[in-house]
Amino acid sequence: MDLFINMMSAICASMANTAFRLKNEALVVSQVFKELAYGIGVGFTAGVIVYAVAEAANANKFLQLALVTLAGWGGAKVIESYSERYFGDKRHKPPLDRQTGE
């Protein structure tokens, strides 16, 4: 039951982060469902990793829940920052200039 609660917390935090990213006007998203699935996947993966480490360390259950929630929130941010650094910024496209069309 602890794993289920922790994973739901991580996924909810990741989806909140995804909602904030989708609200950003500078972000151009062509497929919203793909972004939502990406957020769920990242939140679940980060949550499982942190849950396993916290469970192995016999952490307090409330501390464990807090760490898993933070991992769900920050997991996508870490992946995006490293992907921008090493592969270029392919998700964020600057808005078109209305006069030149570029």
Side-chain angles (χ1 to χ4, degrees), residues 10 12-13 15 17 25 33 39 50 58 61 79 92 101:
C12 287
M15 293 310 298
N17 182 25
E25 292 176 0
F33 289 117
V50 172
N58 291 326
K61 297 297 180 190
I79 290 173
H92 299 95

Side-chain angles (χ1 to χ4, degrees), residues 9-63:
S9 177
I11 290 172
C12 287
S14 180
M15 293 310 298
N17 182 25
T18 302
F20 280 112
R21 285 189 312 111
L22 290 175
K23 190 176 88 170
N24 186 3
E25 292 176 0
L27 181 68
V28 177
V29 177
S30 60
Q31 297 176 346
V32 175
F33 289 117
K34 184 178 175 183
E35 286 292 317
L36 295 175
Y38 169 76
I40 290 172
V42 168
F44 183 79
T45 304
V48 165
I49 292 169
V50 172
Y51 176 80
V53 171
E55 191 69 26
N58 291 326
N60 182 356
K61 297 297 180 190
F62 291 111
L63 175 63

Side-chain angles (χ1 to χ4, degrees), residues 81-97:
S81 67
Y82 280 111
S83 66
E84 286 176 12
R85 181 181 299 166
Y86 294 113
F87 302 114
D89 190 8
K90 294 186 175 142
R91 289 180 160 232
H92 299 95
K93 297 178 183 172
L96 294 175
D97 185 17

